[in-house]
Amino acid sequence: MILGHLIVQLRLVFRILGTDTFLAYVQCFNVTPPDATSGLHGFKRAIRTNDTRIEDIIPLTHICSPTHVIPHFGRAANSCLNSHTSYELSLEFWLNKYWNKQFYYCLCPS
């Protein structure tokens, strides 16, 4: 959680039939402390003990902003990664606070 917000990956948006209620199926992440060098927040996929991802269904109105994330490869990147699989196969990411100035001011202490 960063400043009262959660980082999630949006997987599906749907509507309950017969209503105007839109919901989002999301997969959750755990936030780690900022990197001392770059100042970027890190986060990891939230995983259960049986290695399945933690997911949730939330009202679409609870989604505040898109974010720019960068896969964190570590010392060696997975050889299966490409532009189509890097977000699915990666478990760790950086949250790019330099993406735009509004995002930067939200994440940087005054």
Side-chain angles (χ1 to χ4, degrees):
M1 184 179 291
I2 299 176
L3 304 173
H5 291 84
L6 297 174
I7 305 292
V8 298
Q9 182 178 12
L10 180 64
R11 304 302 295 182
L12 179 72
V13 174
F14 60 98
R15 181 174 62 95
I16 298 174
L17 289 176
T19 72
D20 290 333
T21 303
F22 285 87
L23 301 171
Y25 168 68
V26 297
Q27 292 178 338
C28 304
F29 293 91
N30 295 321
V31 178
T32 59
D35 178 63
T37 306
S38 67
L40 297 178
H41 286 81
F43 56 101
K44 298 178 179 184
R45 288 198 183 276
I47 305 288
R48 292 186 181 88
T49 55
N50 65 357
D51 289 332
T52 60
R53 296 177 182 179
I54 295 176
E55 57 267 335
D56 202 357
I57 294 176
I58 61 173
L60 188 61
T61 56
H62 286 197
I63 297 176
C64 299
S65 171
T67 59
H68 183 248
V69 298
I70 304 161
H72 178 224
F73 300 119
R75 294 194 182 272
N78 181 338
S79 62
C80 296
L81 295 178
N82 61 44
S83 62
H84 301 289
T85 63
S86 62
Y87 289 107
E88 275 310 303
L89 298 178
S90 296
L91 298 177
E92 297 183 38
F93 300 86
W94 296 114
L95 181 61
N96 184 2
K97 70 179 180 183
Y98 303 108
W99 184 41
N100 65 38
K101 69 180 181 179
Q102 291 83 9
F103 208 71
Y104 176 80
Y105 291 131
C106 288
L107 292 175
C108 291
S110 318

